Amino acid sequence: MRKELKLVLSPEEAYQDSVFRQVVVKESGFTDTEALIIRPLRRSIDARSRKVKVNVTVEVFSGEKPPPVIQAGKTYPNVRNAEPIVIVGAGPAGLFAALRAIELGVKPIVLERGKDVRSRRRDLAALNKLHLVDPDSNYCFGEGGAGTYSDGKLYTRSKKRGDIRRIMEILVSHGAKEDILVDAHPHIGTNKLPALVVNLRHSILNAGGEIHFETKVTDLILEKNSIRGVITDGGEKVLGMGVILATGHSARDIFHLLTKRDVFIEAKPFALGVRVEHDQNLIDKIQYHCQVNRGSFLPPASYSLVQQTVLAGKQRGVFSFCMCPGGFIVPAATSPGEIVVNGMSPSRRDGKFANSGMVVAVELEDLGGYHQHGPLAAMIFQQEVEQAAWIAAGKTQAAPAQRMVDFVSRKESKQLLPTSYQPGLQSTDMHAILPDFISKRLAMALPLMDQRMKGYFTNEAQLIGVESRTSSPVRIPRDKHLLEHPQIRRLYPCGEGAGYAGGIVSAAMDGERCAEMLVAKYHRSRLA
Ligand code: FAD
């Protein structure tokens, strides 16, 4: 027999396994307490009132074998001798496109400019300690893409529950904890992601797919408005029934290549600003209404803030982005001569600091003279801000920083705070780096955010710049339903870089859809 219970629990009841079991057994009314199988289905924290509660939905089985938790991602057919498709980029979009292609009986050939996760780690150490930026191996490029050394937050605004569940199940079948199927705000953590990415790689290789690391695509093989394949930096031609282009938001050379080859692309609105770092304990106290600390059971608190601002008659949102409780700020530049910051956190989120992007929406009409760069307008704007940050902070990977109240009152920060950002900070006037329309809006919004989170606006927090890779500054157009480029047949712009995803899960979902559409089109054309 199966029962489903909806419970409102204290943090201890929800997160202490033995206590949780006791409570559920009691609430279930079953008597064979030893043999009961208990499975949480959903779990979310409600911190709106002073007493924090956890809402848990749980299923309890008595004398009945429960169905398996996951259905997706267990076995893959052998595609060694099947028709190939070319996938450029081994981020979430590329890897999930490859797995879906295998399920559909075609052979993925994945080309990735960066290195496998283990070799990549050495380049990240050199970036953090020696300030060396390898343009092919960094926090954005390499096996698993920008998703590998990230927070591994797995929430998405997509409403496609079935598709989201599928992605989560595939992640679980490759090593993620089953908790991600349950938590309202699931995350994996940067310490767990590399092993998971290696397991995804093994599934692709074991099924007969190919993955080529340190293989950069430098040209497209175009024939009569159709793509036949790509050319790599080693001069090799790689051909396939179609090309899924999943190169991420930082592959500027790909955007330049598309422009050079007259493939339609367009400038896209995005967002730009800074990363804000507070003490995690302060965020816990604000969010959980506690005096001292969050106690032993609650996870480190997160936040999400939005503030509308009006400047020169134009309304733009200022919003927190990719908040990382207990996390680190990392140097996410992809070329020497620029500073880009981003955030990540380990699975336990037990670091001392809380960081979050705090960014301003950038619309195309804000770009003024940059429009001379045509479809690359937003990208060049983004690049110039990153370069200005590098120059202002002393031409290393040390990042420009300013304490929060000092920034708003336009005062120099004589002393900066301790930080999680390993390459170090340089006290800088952030207004001098950020374009006026961004810095002014940030300065307007931050004090107002204190109304929603009392204590958020404080000089015990600092702004670290620049957070500029929030989403792609370019869109590669595609047919809404068929997902094919409107001008180049068999080309499937995919994932975050093409403008169709914003995060790990949505990129993975888009990868799957592109593989499905490409294979469906191939089958249709063979029947015709
Ligand atoms: P990417 O992951 O960017 O992958 C693109 C791949 O293409 C890269 O591996 C790149 O090397 C490769 N490539 C580029 N050009 C070429 C070429 N010419 N030839 C061959 N290969 C090429 N999202 C979340 O949902 N949750 C988070 O917690 C989170 N935290 C993040 C933390 C950090 C530090 C960063 C940088 C990003 C984070 N993100 C997070 C964003 C998330 O990682 C991206 O949204 C996601 O990875 C996009 O997937 P993608 O496959 O479209 O592109």
Side-chain angles (χ1 to χ4, degrees), residues 281-357:
N281 187 244
L282 173 67
I283 300 299
D284 290 343
K285 284 203 249 181
I286 299 173
Q287 298 296 75
Y288 291 145
H289 329 285
C290 51
Q291 298 298 320
V292 184
N293 60 41
R294 66 177 184 272
S296 314
F297 302 107
L298 283 170
S302 63
Y303 63 84
S304 170
L305 290 165
V306 188
Q307 180 63 52
Q308 291 302 324
T309 57
V310 180
L311 189 68
K314 286 181 192 158
Q315 182 170 321
R316 298 280 180 269
V318 179
F319 55 94
S320 61
F321 175 81
C322 183
M323 198 265 149
C324 300
F328 305 90
I329 300 182
V330 296
T334 46
S335 291
E338 63 191 26
I339 297 270
V340 179
V341 291
N342 211 311
M344 65 179 200
S345 60
S347 56
R348 295 167 69 90
R349 288 181 159 168
D350 50 3
K352 189 176 162 357
F353 299 101
N355 72 72
S356 172

Coordinates of all heavy atoms in Angstrom, one line a residue, residues 281-357:
N281 N 27.0 34.5 7.1 CA 26.3 34.5 8.4 C 25.3 35.7 8.4 O 24.2 35.6 8.9 CB 27.3 34.6 9.5 CG 26.6 34.6 10.9 OD1 26.6 35.5 11.6 ND2 26.0 33.4 11.1
L282 N 25.7 36.8 7.8 CA 24.8 38.0 7.7 C 23.5 37.6 6.9 O 22.4 37.9 7.3 CB 25.5 39.2 7.1 CG 24.6 40.4 6.9 CD1 24.1 41.0 8.2 CD2 25.3 41.5 6.1
I283 N 23.7 37.0 5.7 CA 22.6 36.6 4.9 C 21.7 35.6 5.6 O 20.5 35.7 5.6 CB 23.1 36.0 3.5 CG1 24.0 37.0 2.8 CG2 21.9 35.5 2.7 CD1 23.3 38.3 2.4
D284 N 22.3 34.6 6.3 CA 21.5 33.7 7.1 C 20.6 34.4 8.2 O 19.5 34.1 8.3 CB 22.4 32.7 7.9 CG 23.1 31.7 7.0 OD1 22.7 31.6 5.8 OD2 24.1 31.1 7.4
K285 N 21.3 35.4 8.8 CA 20.5 36.1 9.9 C 19.4 36.9 9.3 O 18.3 36.9 9.9 CB 21.5 37.1 10.6 CG 22.4 36.3 11.6 CD 22.9 37.3 12.7 CE 24.4 37.6 12.5 NZ 25.0 38.4 13.4
I286 N 19.6 37.5 8.1 CA 18.5 38.3 7.5 C 17.4 37.3 7.0 O 16.2 37.5 7.3 CB 19.0 39.1 6.3 CG1 20.1 40.1 6.7 CG2 17.9 39.8 5.6 CD1 20.8 40.8 5.5
Q287 N 17.8 36.3 6.4 CA 16.8 35.4 5.7 C 16.0 34.5 6.7 O 14.9 34.2 6.5 CB 17.4 34.6 4.6 CG 18.0 35.4 3.5 CD 17.0 36.1 2.7 OE1 16.5 37.2 3.2 NE2 16.6 35.7 1.5
Y288 N 16.8 34.0 7.7 CA 16.2 33.1 8.7 C 15.7 33.8 10.0 O 15.3 33.1 10.9 CB 17.1 31.9 9.0 CG 17.4 31.0 7.8 CD1 18.7 30.4 7.7 CD2 16.4 30.6 6.9 CE1 18.9 29.5 6.6 CE2 16.7 29.7 5.9 CZ 17.9 29.2 5.7 OH 18.2 28.3 4.7
H289 N 15.9 35.1 10.0 CA 15.4 35.9 11.2 C 16.1 35.3 12.5 O 15.4 35.2 13.5 CB 13.9 35.8 11.4 CG 13.2 35.7 10.1 ND1 13.0 36.8 9.2 CD2 12.5 34.7 9.5 CE1 12.3 36.4 8.2 NE2 12.0 35.1 8.3
C290 N 17.4 35.0 12.4 CA 18.0 34.5 13.6 C 19.0 35.5 14.2 O 19.5 36.4 13.4 CB 18.7 33.1 13.3 SG 19.8 33.2 11.9
Q291 N 19.3 35.4 15.4 CA 20.2 36.4 16.1 C 21.7 36.0 15.9 O 22.5 36.9 15.7 CB 19.9 36.4 17.6 CG 18.5 36.9 18.0 CD 18.2 38.3 17.5 OE1 19.1 39.2 17.6 NE2 17.1 38.6 16.9
V292 N 22.0 34.7 16.0 CA 23.4 34.3 16.1 C 23.8 33.6 14.8 O 24.7 34.1 14.1 CB 23.6 33.4 17.3 CG1 25.1 33.0 17.4 CG2 23.1 34.0 18.6
N293 N 23.2 32.5 14.5 CA 23.5 31.8 13.3 C 22.3 30.9 12.9 O 21.4 30.8 13.6 CB 24.8 30.9 13.4 CG 24.7 29.9 14.5 OD1 23.7 29.2 14.6 ND2 25.8 29.8 15.3
R294 N 22.5 30.2 11.8 CA 21.3 29.4 11.3 C 21.0 28.1 12.0 O 20.1 27.4 11.7 CB 21.4 29.2 9.8 CG 22.5 28.3 9.4 CD 22.6 28.0 7.9 NE 23.6 27.1 7.6 CZ 24.9 27.4 7.4 NH1 25.3 28.6 7.5 NH2 25.8 26.4 7.2
G295 N 21.9 27.7 12.9 CA 21.8 26.4 13.6 C 22.3 25.3 12.7 O 22.9 25.5 11.7
S296 N 22.1 24.1 13.2 CA 22.8 22.9 12.6 C 22.0 22.3 11.4 O 22.6 21.5 10.7 CB 22.9 21.8 13.6 OG 23.3 22.3 14.8
F297 N 20.8 22.7 11.2 CA 20.0 21.9 10.2 C 19.7 22.6 8.9 O 19.6 22.0 7.9 CB 18.7 21.4 10.9 CG 19.0 20.6 12.1 CD1 18.8 21.1 13.4 CD2 19.6 19.3 12.0 CE1 19.1 20.3 14.5 CE2 19.9 18.5 13.1 CZ 19.6 19.0 14.4
L298 N 19.5 23.9 9.0 CA 19.1 24.7 7.8 C 20.3 24.8 6.9 O 21.4 25.1 7.3 CB 18.6 26.1 8.2 CG 17.2 26.1 8.7 CD1 16.9 27.5 9.3 CD2 16.2 25.8 7.6
P299 N 20.1 24.8 5.6 CA 21.2 25.0 4.6 C 21.5 26.5 4.6 O 20.7 27.3 5.0 CB 20.6 24.6 3.3 CG 19.2 24.6 3.5 CD 18.8 24.4 4.9
P300 N 22.7 26.9 4.2 CA 23.0 28.3 4.1 C 22.0 29.0 3.2 O 21.6 28.5 2.2 CB 24.4 28.4 3.4 CG 25.0 27.0 3.7 CD 23.8 26.1 3.8
A301 N 21.6 30.2 3.7 CA 20.4 30.9 3.0 C 20.9 31.5 1.7 O 22.0 32.0 1.5 CB 19.8 31.9 3.9
S302 N 19.9 31.6 0.8 CA 20.1 32.3 -0.5 C 19.2 33.5 -0.6 O 18.4 33.7 0.3 CB 19.9 31.4 -1.7 OG 18.6 30.9 -1.7
Y303 N 19.3 34.3 -1.6 CA 18.3 35.3 -1.8 C 18.1 35.6 -3.3 O 18.9 35.2 -4.1 CB 18.8 36.6 -1.1 CG 20.1 37.2 -1.5 CD1 20.1 38.1 -2.6 CD2 21.3 36.9 -0.9 CE1 21.3 38.6 -3.1 CE2 22.5 37.5 -1.3 CZ 22.5 38.3 -2.4 OH 23.7 38.9 -2.8
S304 N 17.1 36.3 -3.6 CA 16.8 36.7 -5.0 C 16.2 38.1 -4.9 O 15.2 38.3 -4.2 CB 15.9 35.7 -5.6 OG 15.4 36.2 -6.8
L305 N 16.8 39.1 -5.5 CA 16.3 40.5 -5.4 C 16.1 41.1 -6.8 O 16.9 40.8 -7.7 CB 17.3 41.3 -4.6 CG 17.5 41.0 -3.1 CD1 18.7 41.7 -2.6 CD2 16.2 41.5 -2.3
V306 N 15.1 41.9 -6.9 CA 14.9 42.7 -8.1 C 14.4 44.1 -7.8 O 13.6 44.2 -6.8 CB 13.7 42.1 -9.0 CG1 13.6 42.8 -10.4 CG2 13.8 40.6 -9.2
Q307 N 15.0 45.1 -8.4 CA 14.6 46.5 -8.2 C 14.5 47.2 -9.5 O 15.4 47.2 -10.3 CB 15.6 47.1 -7.3 CG 15.3 48.6 -7.0 CD 14.0 48.7 -6.2 OE1 13.8 48.1 -5.1 NE2 13.1 49.6 -6.6
Q308 N 13.3 47.7 -9.8 CA 13.2 48.5 -11.0 C 13.8 49.9 -10.8 O 13.7 50.5 -9.7 CB 11.7 48.7 -11.4 CG 11.1 47.4 -11.9 CD 11.8 46.8 -13.1 OE1 12.3 47.5 -14.0 NE2 11.8 45.4 -13.1
T309 N 14.5 50.4 -11.8 CA 15.1 51.8 -11.7 C 14.6 52.6 -12.9 O 14.5 52.0 -14.0 CB 16.6 51.7 -11.7 OG1 17.0 51.0 -12.8 CG2 17.1 51.0 -10.4
V310 N 14.5 53.9 -12.7 CA 14.2 54.8 -13.9 C 15.3 55.8 -14.0 O 15.6 56.5 -13.0 CB 12.8 55.4 -13.7 CG1 12.5 56.3 -14.9 CG2 11.7 54.4 -13.5
L311 N 15.9 55.9 -15.1 CA 17.0 56.8 -15.4 C 16.7 57.4 -16.8 O 16.6 56.6 -17.7 CB 18.3 56.1 -15.3 CG 19.6 56.9 -15.3 CD1 19.7 57.7 -14.0 CD2 20.8 56.0 -15.4
A312 N 16.8 58.7 -16.9 CA 16.6 59.4 -18.2 C 15.3 58.8 -18.9 O 15.3 58.6 -20.1 CB 17.8 59.2 -19.1
G313 N 14.3 58.6 -18.0 CA 13.0 58.2 -18.6 C 12.9 56.7 -19.0 O 11.9 56.3 -19.4
K314 N 14.0 56.0 -18.8 CA 14.0 54.6 -19.2 C 14.0 53.7 -18.0 O 14.8 53.9 -17.0 CB 15.2 54.3 -20.0 CG 15.2 54.8 -21.4 CD 16.5 54.5 -22.1 CE 16.6 55.3 -23.4 NZ 18.0 55.3 -23.9
Q315 N 13.1 52.7 -18.0 CA 13.0 51.8 -16.9 C 13.9 50.5 -17.2 O 13.8 50.0 -18.3 CB 11.6 51.4 -16.6 CG 11.4 50.4 -15.5 CD 10.0 50.2 -15.1 OE1 9.2 51.2 -15.1 NE2 9.7 49.0 -14.7
R316 N 14.7 50.1 -16.2 CA 15.5 48.9 -16.4 C 15.5 48.2 -15.0 O 15.6 48.8 -14.0 CB 16.9 49.2 -16.7 CG 17.1 49.9 -18.1 CD 17.0 49.0 -19.2 NE 17.2 49.7 -20.5 CZ 16.2 50.2 -21.2 NH1 15.0 50.1 -20.8 NH2 16.5 50.9 -22.3
G317 N 15.5 46.9 -15.1 CA 15.6 46.1 -13.9 C 17.1 45.9 -13.4 O 18.0 45.8 -14.2
V318 N 17.2 46.0 -12.1 CA 18.5 45.6 -11.5 C 18.2 44.4 -10.7 O 17.3 44.4 -9.9 CB 19.0 46.7 -10.5 CG1 20.4 46.3 -9.9 CG2 19.2 48.0 -11.3
F319 N 18.9 43.3 -10.9 CA 18.5 42.0 -10.2 C 19.7 41.2 -9.8 O 20.8 41.2 -10.4 CB 17.6 41.3 -11.1 CG 18.1 41.0 -12.5 CD1 18.7 39.8 -12.8 CD2 17.9 41.9 -13.5 CE1 19.2 39.5 -14.1 CE2 18.4 41.7 -14.8 CZ 19.0 40.4 -15.1
S320 N 19.5 40.4 -8.8 CA 20.5 39.4 -8.4 C 20.5 38.3 -9.3 O 19.5 38.0 -9.9 CB 20.3 39.0 -6.9 OG 19.1 38.3 -6.9
F321 N 21.7 37.7 -9.5 CA 21.8 36.7 -10.6 C 22.8 35.6 -10.1 O 23.9 35.9 -9.6 CB 22.4 37.4 -11.8 CG 22.7 36.4 -12.9 CD1 21.7 36.0 -13.8 CD2 24.0 36.0 -13.2 CE1 22.0 35.1 -14.8 CE2 24.3 35.1 -14.2 CZ 23.3 34.7 -15.0
C322 N 22.4 34.3 -10.2 CA 23.3 33.2 -9.9 C 23.9 33.4 -8.4 O 25.1 33.4 -8.3 CB 24.4 33.1 -10.9 SG 25.5 31.7 -10.7
M323 N 23.0 33.4 -7.5 CA 23.4 33.6 -6.1 C 24.1 32.3 -5.6 O 23.6 31.2 -5.8 CB 22.2 34.0 -5.2 CG 22.6 34.6 -3.9 SD 22.6 33.4 -2.6 CE 23.8 34.0 -1.5
C324 N 25.2 32.4 -4.9 CA 26.0 31.3 -4.5 C 26.2 31.3 -3.0 O 27.1 31.9 -2.5 CB 27.4 31.2 -5.1 SG 27.3 31.1 -6.9
P325 N 25.3 30.7 -2.2 CA 25.5 30.6 -0.7 C 26.8 29.9 -0.4 O 27.1 28.8 -1.0 CB 24.3 29.9 -0.2 CG 23.4 29.7 -1.4 CD 24.1 29.8 -2.6
G326 N 27.5 30.3 0.6 CA 28.7 29.6 1.0 C 29.7 29.4 -0.1 O 30.4 28.4 -0.2
G327 N 29.8 30.3 -1.1 CA 30.5 30.0 -2.3 C 31.8 30.9 -2.5 O 32.2 31.6 -1.6
F328 N 32.3 30.8 -3.7 CA 33.5 31.5 -4.1 C 33.3 32.4 -5.3 O 32.5 31.9 -6.2 CB 34.6 30.5 -4.5 CG 34.9 29.5 -3.4 CD1 34.3 28.3 -3.4 CD2 35.9 29.8 -2.4 CE1 34.5 27.4 -2.4 CE2 36.1 28.8 -1.5 CZ 35.4 27.6 -1.5
I329 N 33.9 33.5 -5.4 CA 33.9 34.2 -6.6 C 35.1 33.8 -7.4 O 36.2 33.6 -6.9 CB 34.0 35.8 -6.3 CG1 32.8 36.2 -5.5 CG2 34.1 36.5 -7.6 CD1 32.7 37.6 -5.2
V330 N 34.9 33.5 -8.7 CA 36.0 33.0 -9.5 C 36.3 33.9 -10.7 O 35.5 34.6 -11.2 CB 35.7 31.5 -10.0 CG1 35.6 30.6 -8.9 CG2 34.5 31.5 -10.9
P331 N 37.6 33.8 -11.2 CA 38.0 34.6 -12.4 C 37.5 33.8 -13.7 O 38.0 32.8 -14.0 CB 39.5 34.6 -12.3 CG 39.9 33.4 -11.5 CD 38.7 33.0 -10.7
A332 N 36.5 34.4 -14.4 CA 35.9 33.7 -15.5 C 36.2 34.3 -16.8 O 35.5 34.0 -17.8 CB 34.4 33.6 -15.3
A333 N 37.4 35.0 -16.9 CA 37.8 35.5 -18.2 C 38.1 34.4 -19.2 O 38.5 33.3 -18.7 CB 39.0 36.4 -18.0
T334 N 38.0 34.7 -20.5 CA 38.3 33.7 -21.5 C 39.5 34.2 -22.4 O 39.9 33.4 -23.3 CB 37.1 33.3 -22.3 OG1 36.4 34.5 -22.7 CG2 36.1 32.4 -21.5
S335 N 40.0 35.4 -22.1 CA 41.1 35.9 -22.9 C 42.0 36.7 -21.9 O 41.4 37.3 -21.0 CB 40.7 36.8 -24.0 OG 40.0 36.1 -25.0
P336 N 43.3 36.7 -22.2 CA 44.1 37.6 -21.4 C 43.6 39.1 -21.7 O 43.0 39.3 -22.7 CB 45.5 37.4 -22.0 CG 45.5 36.2 -22.8 CD 44.0 36.0 -23.2
G337 N 43.9 40.0 -20.7 CA 43.5 41.4 -20.9 C 42.1 41.7 -20.6 O 41.6 42.7 -21.0
E338 N 41.4 40.8 -19.9 CA 40.0 41.2 -19.4 C 39.8 40.6 -18.0 O 40.4 39.6 -17.7 CB 39.0 40.6 -20.4 CG 39.0 39.1 -20.5 CD 38.2 38.5 -21.7 OE1 38.0 39.2 -22.7 OE2 37.8 37.4 -21.6
I339 N 38.9 41.2 -17.3 CA 38.4 40.6 -16.0 C 36.9 40.3 -16.1 O 36.1 41.2 -16.5 CB 38.6 41.7 -14.9 CG1 40.1 42.0 -14.7 CG2 38.0 41.1 -13.6 CD1 40.9 41.1 -13.7
V340 N 36.6 39.1 -15.7 CA 35.2 38.7 -15.7 C 35.1 37.9 -14.4 O 35.9 37.1 -14.1 CB 34.9 37.7 -16.8 CG1 33.4 37.3 -16.7 CG2 35.2 38.4 -18.2
V341 N 34.1 38.2 -13.6 CA 33.9 37.4 -12.4 C 32.6 36.6 -12.5 O 31.6 37.0 -13.1 CB 33.9 38.2 -11.1 CG1 35.3 38.7 -10.8 CG2 32.9 39.3 -11.1
N342 N 32.6 35.5 -11.8 CA 31.4 34.6 -11.7 C 31.4 33.9 -10.3 O 32.4 34.1 -9.6 CB 31.4 33.6 -12.8 CG 29.9 33.3 -13.3 OD1 29.1 33.0 -12.5 ND2 29.7 33.4 -14.6
G343 N 30.4 33.1 -10.0 CA 30.4 32.5 -8.7 C 30.2 31.0 -8.8 O 29.6 30.5 -9.7
M344 N 30.7 30.3 -7.8 CA 30.4 28.8 -7.7 C 30.4 28.5 -6.2 O 30.8 29.2 -5.3 CB 31.4 28.0 -8.4 CG 32.8 28.1 -7.9 SD 33.9 27.1 -8.8 CE 35.3 26.9 -7.7
S345 N 29.9 27.3 -5.9 CA 30.0 26.8 -4.5 C 30.1 25.3 -4.4 O 29.6 24.6 -5.3 CB 28.8 27.4 -3.7 OG 27.6 26.9 -4.2
P346 N 30.7 24.8 -3.3 CA 30.7 23.4 -3.2 C 29.4 22.8 -2.7 O 28.5 23.6 -2.3 CB 31.8 23.2 -2.1 CG 31.8 24.5 -1.3 CD 31.3 25.6 -2.3
S347 N 29.3 21.5 -2.7 CA 28.0 20.9 -2.5 C 27.4 21.2 -1.1 O 26.3 21.4 -0.9 CB 28.0 19.4 -2.6 OG 29.0 18.9 -1.8
R348 N 28.3 21.3 -0.1 CA 27.9 21.7 1.3 C 27.6 23.2 1.5 O 27.1 23.6 2.5 CB 28.9 21.2 2.3 CG 29.0 19.6 2.3 CD 30.2 19.2 3.1 NE 30.0 19.5 4.5 CZ 29.4 18.7 5.4 NH1 29.1 17.5 5.0 NH2 29.3 19.0 6.6
R349 N 28.1 23.9 0.5 CA 28.0 25.4 0.6 C 28.4 25.9 1.9 O 27.7 26.8 2.6 CB 26.5 25.8 0.3 CG 26.1 25.6 -1.1 CD 24.7 25.9 -1.4 NE 24.5 26.2 -2.8 CZ 23.3 26.3 -3.4 NH1 22.2 26.2 -2.6 NH2 23.2 26.6 -4.6
D350 N 29.6 25.4 2.4 CA 30.0 25.8 3.7 C 31.1 26.8 3.7 O 31.8 27.0 4.7 CB 30.5 24.5 4.4 CG 31.5 23.7 3.6 OD1 31.8 24.2 2.5 OD2 31.9 22.6 4.1
G351 N 31.3 27.6 2.7 CA 32.2 28.7 2.7 C 31.7 29.8 3.5 O 30.6 29.9 3.9
K352 N 32.6 30.7 3.8 CA 32.3 31.8 4.8 C 31.5 32.9 4.1 O 30.8 33.7 4.8 CB 33.7 32.4 5.2 CG 33.6 33.4 6.4 CD 35.0 33.9 6.8 CE 35.0 35.1 7.6 NZ 33.8 35.9 7.8
F353 N 31.5 33.0 2.8 CA 30.9 34.1 2.1 C 29.7 33.7 1.2 O 29.6 32.6 0.8 CB 32.0 34.8 1.1 CG 33.2 35.3 1.9 CD1 34.4 34.6 1.9 CD2 33.1 36.5 2.6 CE1 35.5 35.1 2.6 CE2 34.2 37.0 3.3 CZ 35.4 36.2 3.3
A354 N 28.9 34.7 1.1 CA 27.7 34.6 0.1 C 28.0 35.5 -1.0 O 28.3 36.7 -0.8 CB 26.4 35.0 0.8
N355 N 27.9 35.1 -2.2 CA 28.1 36.0 -3.4 C 27.0 35.9 -4.4 O 26.4 34.8 -4.5 CB 29.5 35.8 -4.0 CG 29.6 34.6 -4.8 OD1 29.0 34.5 -5.9 ND2 30.3 33.6 -4.3
S356 N 26.7 37.0 -5.0 CA 25.7 36.9 -6.1 C 26.0 38.0 -7.1 O 26.5 39.0 -6.8 CB 24.3 37.3 -5.5 OG 23.4 37.4 -6.5
G357 N 25.7 37.7 -8.4 CA 25.7 38.7 -9.4 C 24.7 39.8 -9.0 O 23.6 39.4 -8.5

